[in-house]
Amino acid sequence: MHLLRAEVSRLQYRPRVVVGLVSVLLLGLIGPALWMSNARPYTDQEVTEAVQAFEEDLPRCPECTLEQYLPDVWGLNEVVHIGVAPWLLLVAVFVLILVLVYAGADFQSGAITTQLTFTPARLKLLSARTLVAGLLGAVLMAVAGIASGTVSVVWFVALRGYADLAPGSGLLGALIGAVVLGMVVGMVAALAVFLFHSGAVAGAVVAVVLLASLLVEVLGWDGAPHWVFHATPTRHAESLVVGLAERGYEQYPLVRGETLSRTESLTYFLVLIAISAALAAVTFRRRDVKN
């Protein structure tokens, strides 16, 4: 516990942590500008044009409705699931980079050697650093999520009023999922640094894994084996934040087909952390750490 408190106190004196907090705060504040234009109400001109087009097409399309001629306007549910949640997934990649830099700094500078002189219990150091890295990731994602969610809700009320606020928008679930994802990202990043004894190498390995995962998604799921969908970390990250991830990209409305649930994704990441911790414990304990 003393070592854990010492690791937490170090966060207060690391300039990278302050830079990271400011950066994710800015990302959270500017993110809503990318999607809130979709939540604006209809203008009189749009309604007039829609009515005119509807009346012109009505003789040859009696089953058509006026809503089909109006532009898509997002409710708060769409704002959360198509705007806030995907944005937080991008922020999570940035948080991953920040934690990799933070955890790898001591290996790059050789400070880890000095610390091992005073704390020879390597497994305790590994555990404390991993937990603090998870805490850092969770805090960074919480800052970004709260900023992005708050700005989106305030903006939505300014555009539509309180009457259109949906009680089941899923915003709280998305924020909690983002915080959990931040903790997972932080712990995995720290364990990767201890596993490879280098922040740069760990970052390269993580980048390869993410790129491979995205490549499989870009190529399409139709020809991919069934297990690939359930083994891809990017889709499990999406499941944690959005609430579920489905096989394909019909993101909204969320159709209950072959999906990933938050429970399955949380289990997936717990197993991933356990395996990474076991491998990192073995390699870090046996490695001769020198400056």
Side-chain angles (χ1 to χ4, degrees):
M1 293 301 300
H2 291 293
L3 181 58
L4 186 60
R5 285 195 295 267
E7 290 292 332
V8 172
S9 65
R10 293 179 66 204
L11 294 177
Q12 305 175 19
Y13 306 102
R14 289 295 182 96
R16 295 181 181 88
V17 176
V18 178
V19 172
L21 287 171
V22 174
S23 300
V24 296
L25 177 60
L26 292 176
L27 288 175
L29 292 175
I30 67 176
L34 301 176
W35 62 77
M36 287 309 298
S37 60
N38 297 301
R40 61 176 178 80
Y42 303 124
T43 63
D44 294 338
Q45 182 179 356
E46 290 173 339
V47 174
T48 301
E49 293 176 352
V51 171
Q52 182 179 357
F54 171 69
E55 292 176 348
E56 292 176 354
D57 293 344
L58 188 59
R60 60 176 179 272
C61 184
E63 70 277 3
C64 293
T65 62
L66 177 60
E67 287 75 14
Q68 293 174 324
Y69 293 84
L70 291 169
D72 292 333
V73 175
W74 290 3
L76 187 58
N77 202 352
E78 289 90 345
V79 168
V80 171
H81 290 92
I82 310 179
V84 177
W87 182 249
L88 291 179
L89 291 174
L90 294 178
V91 174
V93 178
F94 182 67
V95 170
L96 173 64
I97 297 173
L98 288 176
V99 179
L100 281 171
V101 172
Y102 166 76
D106 286 350
F107 285 90
Q108 182 179 2
S109 65
I112 190 70
T113 305
T114 304
Q115 188 165 6
L116 287 174
T117 303
F118 299 96
T119 311
R122 295 193 175 193
L123 294 184
K124 291 183 180 181
L125 176 61
L126 170 64
S127 301
R129 186 68 59 84
T130 301
L131 291 175
V132 171
L135 175 63
L136 175 60
V139 170
L140 291 173
M141 288 299 294
V143 170
I146 292 173
S148 187
T150 301
V151 172
S152 295
V153 171
V154 172
W155 200 329
F156 186 86
V157 172
L159 290 173
R160 307 275 288 276
Y162 291 98
D164 287 343
L165 285 178
S169 63
L171 178 58
L172 180 60
L175 294 181
I176 295 175
V179 172
V180 174
L181 178 61
M183 181 174 294
V184 169
V185 164
M187 295 179 71
V188 171
L191 290 171
V193 171
F194 277 95
L195 177 62
F196 296 104
H197 192 206
S198 169
V201 176
V205 173
V206 171
V208 169
V209 172
L210 292 179
L211 289 176
S213 177
L214 293 174
L215 181 61
V216 172
E217 296 181 20
V218 170
L219 293 178
W221 289 108
D222 294 337
H226 176 83
W227 61 267
V228 173
F229 176 63
H230 295 270
T232 309
T234 51
R235 301 315 296 269
H236 282 287
E238 177 188 354
S239 172
L240 274 183
V241 180
V242 177
L244 60 88
E246 59 180 358
R247 190 180 177 97
Y249 282 97
E250 293 295 331
Q251 183 56 63
Y252 192 88
L254 298 174
V255 181
R256 292 282 180 175
E258 183 185 359
T259 61
L260 300 175
S261 66
R262 278 183 171 140
T263 302
E264 179 182 349
S265 298
L266 184 59
T267 303
Y268 171 89
F269 284 122
L270 289 176
V271 173
L272 177 62
I273 291 174
I275 295 174
S276 301
L279 294 175
V282 173
T283 56
F284 184 59
R285 189 173 183 178
R286 295 181 177 179
R287 181 175 285 119
D288 184 16
V289 179
K290 295 181 178 180
N291 188 357

